[in-house]
């Protein structure tokens, strides 16, 4: 790895470091407690017990029953498992994560439009429903611009349609799924208060291990096996269970919940300082996402510098030791205008100059101060370069004209 004198990581929506306490809880399951939970001797039974204890802790943390929690290799897999509960048409918001968009591309689907601040209104969900829709999927919080969705009100719309079908004697099922990956640890996630029938969570964004996640499904929802194998996870996902991962996930979720209120206060104060300072220095900068604090993820700043190219900014910042994202990591790696920014109607010339800055547990006040200075310098230098290029081409233009 390249080393910088400065190393400021501001991309916690893409990945979080494993918390030292989580790592300590996991370590014994890599070494002396390595056993296969299916093994027929005491050591195996202990591993099974550790797995089920972790499932129980995860369930308790989200107000669920352990039997309704399926452990998966991350949120992508949990989302795939969720969509297997029905075969019919689905409806998803225009700003869902790539893992959802990729699933629905192969199926009959409706895309639910969003407001300019990324909000999915209950009316928009209502407008997308047809008597044949079987699944609605809306992320609890968007990882790119930070919009927290009014999921409870959306679930009222879904429930009303379900009641209508029941009264009309129609048998088409209708479920609500929410990908709460970006919300966990920052918002209160209790499965019943979300109003959803299926909930996806990931350990990787809450200072737990990667490739560890879960799907919660309400009683009575029949899921289709995702990975065939030895019948683990109620036959839904075969393969020797990741006991260390499950233990780490449970530990990470409990820590995140315990520290959530204080940590969110700290993060939003730092984020607000960053936003204020950058907008003061660059009054043309555009901040996306909801204005209301309660509707916005507290650690996230999506800021666009009109006329600049995000890719150049990220490279320049990287050289100075500051790691930030452009849009979501997935969209960024493909270097195309983010679907989310198109969906909120952000002009291309603004969208192309967007940075997604996400603070996290290790972020300090000093880092934020340094990062603001460095971002300011880099943006100012880019504006100067663009202006010089513009002058140069105008000169040439005049010359030729
Ligand atoms: N859903 C959302 C909202 C995400 O942000 C991510 C990770 N970027 C995923 C799903 C995929 O998670 P995983 O990498 O655990 O499969």
């Amino acid at each position: 790895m390249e080393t910088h004198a400065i190393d400021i990581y501001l991309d916690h929506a893409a990945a979080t470091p494993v918390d030292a306490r989580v790592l300590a809880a996991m370590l014994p399951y890599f070494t002396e407690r390595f056993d296969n939970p299916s093994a027929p001797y005491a050591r195996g039974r202990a591993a099974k017990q550790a797995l089920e204890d972790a499932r129980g802790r995860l369930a308790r943390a989200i107000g669920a029953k352990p039997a309704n929690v399926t452990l998966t290799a991350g949120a992508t897999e949990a989302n795939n498992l969720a969509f297997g509960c029905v075969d019919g048409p689905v409806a998803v918001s225009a700003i869902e994560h790539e893992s959802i968009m990729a699933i629905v591309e192969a199926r009959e689907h409706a895309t639910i439009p969003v407001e300019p601040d990324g909000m999915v209104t209950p009316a928009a969900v209502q407008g997308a429903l047809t008597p044949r829709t079987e699944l609605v999927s809306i992320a609890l919080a968007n990882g790119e611009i930070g919009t927290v969705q009014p999921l409870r009100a959306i679930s009222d719309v879904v429930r009303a349609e379900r009641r209508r079908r029941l009264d009309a004697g129609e048998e088409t099922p209708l479920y609500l799924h929410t990908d709460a990956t970006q919300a966990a640890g920052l918002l209160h996630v209790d499965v019943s208060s979300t109003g959803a029938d299926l909930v996806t969570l990931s350990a990787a964004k809450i200072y737990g291990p990667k490739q560890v996640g879960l799907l919660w499904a309400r009683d009575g929802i029949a899921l289709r096996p995702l990975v065939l194998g030895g019948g683990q996870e109620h036959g839904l996902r075969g393969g020797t269970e990741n006991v260390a991962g499950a233990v780490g996930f449970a530990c990470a979720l409990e820590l995140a919940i315990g520290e959530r209120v204080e940590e969110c206060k700290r993060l939003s104060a730092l984020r607000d300082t960053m936003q204020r300072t950058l907008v003061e220095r660059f009054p043309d900068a555009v901040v996306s996402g909801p204005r209301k604090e309660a509707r916005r993820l507290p650690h996230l700043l999506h800021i666009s510098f009109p006329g600049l190219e995000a890719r150049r900014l990220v490279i320049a910042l990287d050289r100075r030791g500051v790691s930030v994202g452009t849009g979501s990591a997935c969209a960024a790696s493909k270097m195309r205008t983010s679907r989310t920014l198109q969906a909120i109607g952000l002009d291309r010339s603004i969208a192309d100059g967007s940075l997604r800055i996400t603070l996290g547990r290790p972020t300090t006040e000093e880092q934020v101060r340094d990062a603001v200075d460095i971002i300011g310098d880099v943006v100012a230098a880019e504006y100067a370069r663009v202006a010089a290029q513009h002058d140069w081409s105008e000169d040439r233009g005049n010359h030729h004209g």
Side-chain angles (χ1 to χ4, degrees):
M1 198 173 87
E2 292 171 65
T3 52
H4 301 279
I6 290 179
D7 183 5
I8 304 175
Y9 176 77
L10 298 176
D11 201 16
H12 290 86
T16 52
V18 173
D19 189 289
R21 296 164 291 184
V22 171
L23 183 62
M26 291 172 72
L27 277 177
Y29 297 93
F30 290 108
T31 52
E32 67 266 24
R33 303 185 66 178
F34 58 84
D35 301 82
N36 190 322
S38 304
Y41 35 80
R43 295 184 59 98
R45 286 193 296 278
K48 176 79 179 163
Q49 188 61 49
L51 178 72
E52 294 312 321
D53 283 352
R55 191 192 311 277
R57 288 165 63 195
L58 287 164
R60 205 170 319 119
I62 56 171
K65 286 184 290 188
N68 298 44
V69 170
T70 304
L71 292 163
T72 64
T76 299
E77 195 179 283
N79 286 341
N80 276 269
L81 189 59
F83 275 71
C85 74
V86 292
D87 291 314
V90 298
V92 303
S93 91
I95 60 170
E96 293 305 306
H97 185 260
E98 287 296 315
S99 59
I100 302 272
M101 292 307 195
I103 298 167
V104 304
E105 260 163 35
R107 298 176 61 149
E108 183 177 344
H109 70 277
T111 306
I112 305 166
V114 302
E115 299 293 301
D117 62 359
M119 200 73 72
V120 179
T121 64
V125 174
Q126 181 75 60
L129 286 180
T130 75
R132 294 175 54 240
T133 311
E134 296 189 355
L135 182 70
V136 174
S137 182
I138 312 282
L140 185 50
N142 174 273
E144 196 171 340
I145 58 172
T147 313
V148 175
Q149 302 298 353
L151 208 70
R152 190 79 220 180
I154 290 169
S155 79
D156 289 341
V157 170
V158 170
R159 243 196 314 275
E161 169 63 9
R162 212 143 52 193
R163 207 168 311 123
R164 186 201 64 73
R165 292 182 189 181
L166 200 67
D167 293 345
E170 296 170 21
E171 286 181 0
T172 311
L174 177 62
Y175 301 122
L176 175 63
H177 167 250
T178 190
D179 179 348
T181 299
Q182 290 287 348
L186 298 164
L187 304 174
H188 174 63
V189 180
D190 175 280
V191 291
S192 55
S193 64
T194 62
D197 304 295
L198 301 122
V199 178
T200 290
L201 282 177
S202 166
K205 313 283 165 142
I206 57 167
Y207 308 90
K210 292 175 185 60
Q211 288 281 309
V212 179
L214 67 78
L215 179 72
W216 170 81
R218 197 180 286 289
D219 283 336
I221 297 182
L223 299 170
R224 188 183 305 135
L226 195 64
V227 182
L228 299 178
Q232 291 91 344
E233 296 298 312
H234 306 292
L236 294 172
R237 184 186 192 282
T240 306
E241 297 91 335
N242 182 357
V243 181
V247 169
F249 191 4
C251 183
L253 187 57
E254 287 173 352
L255 287 171
I257 290 171
E259 296 171 3
R260 186 178 71 85
V261 176
E262 278 305 303
E263 181 62 357
C264 286
K265 246 190 264 169
R266 190 184 77 88
L267 292 174
S268 65
L270 290 177
R271 189 270 317 272
D272 291 347
T273 302
M274 186 169 251
Q275 177 174 329
R276 199 177 339 103
T277 320
L278 287 173
V279 172
E280 266 168 24
R281 185 157 174 194
F282 304 99
D284 291 343
V286 177
V287 174
S288 293
R291 291 280 164 269
K292 264 199 199 147
E293 189 56 37
R295 296 250 69 98
R296 187 181 183 200
L297 286 177
H299 71 322
L300 188 148
L301 172 61
H302 187 282
I303 187 164
S304 312
F305 300 98
L308 297 190
E309 249 185 83
R311 196 165 42 105
R312 293 186 63 97
L313 293 176
V314 169
I315 293 169
L317 288 170
D318 186 30
R319 285 205 194 103
R320 302 273 308 265
V322 177
S323 310
V324 300
T326 68
S328 88
C330 312
S333 65
K334 291 178 194 141
M335 291 301 169
R336 56 170 168 67
T337 300
S338 123
R339 210 192 305 250
T340 299
L341 301 185
Q342 283 179 28
I344 64 170
L346 202 63
D347 196 80
R348 177 103 201 232
S349 64
I350 301 172
D352 286 351
S354 300
L355 298 181
R356 181 193 65 175
I357 300 168
T358 43
L359 316 182
R361 206 174 274 170
T363 311
T364 63
E365 218 176 304
E366 190 190 2
Q367 283 187 330
V368 167
R369 227 180 7 246
D370 290 348
V372 164
D373 286 345
I374 295 170
I375 295 168
D377 290 351
V378 163
V379 169
E382 266 302 293
Y383 272 128
R385 190 190 62 80
V386 169
Q389 206 173 37
H390 187 70
D391 289 347
W392 179 77
S393 60
E394 276 206 336
D395 281 353
R396 268 175 65 99
N398 290 339
H399 207 69
H400 285 285

